[in-house]
Amino acid sequence: MSLQVLDSFYEGKAKTLFNTSDPTLIVQYFKDDATAFNRQKFGQIAGKGVVNLAITKALYKLLESKGVKTHLVDTLDERRMVSRRVEIVPLEVVVRNRVAGTFAKRYAVPEGTVLPAPIVEFFLKKDELGDPLITAEAAIAIGLATPQETQDLDRLARQVNEILKAFFLALNIELIDFKLEFGKLPDGTLLLADEISPDSCRFWEVGTGKKLDKDRFRQDLGGIEDAYAEMLRRVQSAT
Ligand code: UDP
């Protein structure tokens, strides 16, 4: 691919985005920087960028094979992904299979409680406000998405959940919850964007309940690099 990488146009918490010689494509550089609790906690997880890109690529290929469209085009090397340029929908879409994180806190429900059916939640992507929970109705009312888009986001998130839950269970990992971001092409097509990795998912080992995700960083559990490497090993054993 004779793509030239040009200037950076966005510095995110975990990734830096670059323009390229093709205006329809961007390059995402996956960093080792880690943040939590709306940047109140920050640090580095050695090798995280490499793990997150490899896992995201494997999962996006799996999802594409099942008919879920993603922004993935290719990789340039182990830290750089070429992806379609999209307009990011300003909603984070969270799917939960078991109670954890902010859901446990918000409703005072014990972590690990199994939910009778998956729950989909929307959060407004706005750091200044701390990414508050938002209803589909409010998101529509303030012009963040159309009614059709909120329905599509909900449906796609549930479809991704079913595919990933089954994939990870075969690796002896329970998918507890995860966050998705979506982007729109100029014609309005919704694509899965950003990443799916131990940064954006909760993974518990079946049987032991061992956490193999960013909660090891959030909760200072230690063994962070090993947990990320273990998730990569399992994903690569299946793809
Ligand atoms: N999540 C994420 N980015 C965010 C917020 C949440 O990737 O800005 C992921 C998180 O890793 C977890 C799921 O979304 O897998 C649900 O997170 P929750 O709302 O419980 O918030 P958290 O405990 O991560 O603050």
Side-chain angles (χ1 to χ4, degrees):
M1 188 192 269
S2 67
L3 189 72
Q4 262 180 284
V5 183
L6 305 175
D7 54 313
S8 72
F9 67 94
Y10 181 77
E11 181 79 40
K13 286 175 262 194
K15 292 187 285 299
T16 307
L17 310 188
F18 294 84
N19 290 308
T20 72
S21 48
D22 182 336
T24 68
L25 300 178
I26 65 164
V27 163
Q28 306 199 62
Y29 179 90
F30 283 64
K31 302 188 280 188
D32 287 348
D33 296 348
T35 64
F37 312 117
N38 203 18
R39 295 189 199 230
Q40 283 171 49
K41 182 180 175 107
F42 55 90
Q44 291 237 315
I45 301 174
K48 173 173 85 83
V50 174
V51 169
N52 285 1
L53 173 50
I55 291 179
T56 298
K57 185 179 182 182
L59 297 180
Y60 280 12
K61 283 187 165 178
L62 168 73
L63 291 166
E64 291 270 4
S65 78
K66 309 265 183 192
V68 177
K69 296 192 186 92
T70 79
H71 71 164
L72 169 68
V73 175
D74 204 350
T75 46
L76 295 179
D77 53 40
E78 60 179 13
R79 285 189 185 265
R80 293 186 298 169
M81 177 197 275
V82 181
S83 50
R84 308 282 298 269
R85 188 186 288 276
V86 291
E87 183 195 333
I88 292 290
V89 176
L91 297 171
E92 298 193 341
V93 184
V94 168
V95 183
R96 303 181 187 275
N97 296 304
R98 277 200 203 223
V99 171
T102 58
F103 190 96
K105 262 209 200 122
R106 193 187 320 138
Y107 303 122
V109 179
E111 180 178 78
T113 305
V114 176
L115 295 163
I119 290 177
V120 174
E121 295 175 332
F122 295 135
F123 293 85
L124 173 59
K125 250 172 87 73
K126 204 167 237 191
D127 283 344
E128 316 88 271
L129 300 179
D131 293 351
L133 187 67
I134 186 167
T135 61
E137 200 174 14
I140 294 162
I142 63 176
L144 303 178
T146 65
Q148 183 64 53
E149 283 166 353
T150 61
Q151 280 179 35
D152 290 344
L153 294 175
D154 184 280
R155 176 181 49 80
L156 287 165
R158 290 176 196 279
Q159 187 184 355
V160 169
N161 184 43
E162 293 311 314
I163 295 166
L164 295 189
K165 248 192 332 193
F167 173 79
F168 283 112
L169 206 52
L171 304 178
N172 221 33
I173 298 289
E174 190 175 340
L175 178 60
I176 302 302
D177 61 22
F178 59 96
K179 184 257 317 179
L180 299 177
E181 295 194 26
F182 291 86
K184 278 195 286 184
L185 291 176
D187 71 358
T189 307
L190 283 172
L191 302 183
L192 197 49
D194 199 45
E195 67 183 270
I196 304 183
S197 71
D199 271 14
S200 63
C201 303
R202 287 193 169 91
F203 297 124
W204 294 1
E205 187 177 49
V206 174
T208 66
K210 184 175 178 192
K211 294 176 177 176
L212 294 170
D213 56 57
K214 203 166 108 178
D215 269 352
R216 302 204 76 82
F217 171 77
R218 292 188 190 96
Q219 300 169 7
D220 294 317
L221 298 177
I224 305 170
E225 284 86 1
D226 288 350
Y228 276 66
E230 175 63 19
M231 282 308 303
L232 176 59
R233 197 187 60 71
R234 293 197 196 202
V235 168
Q236 284 182 334
S237 74
T239 53

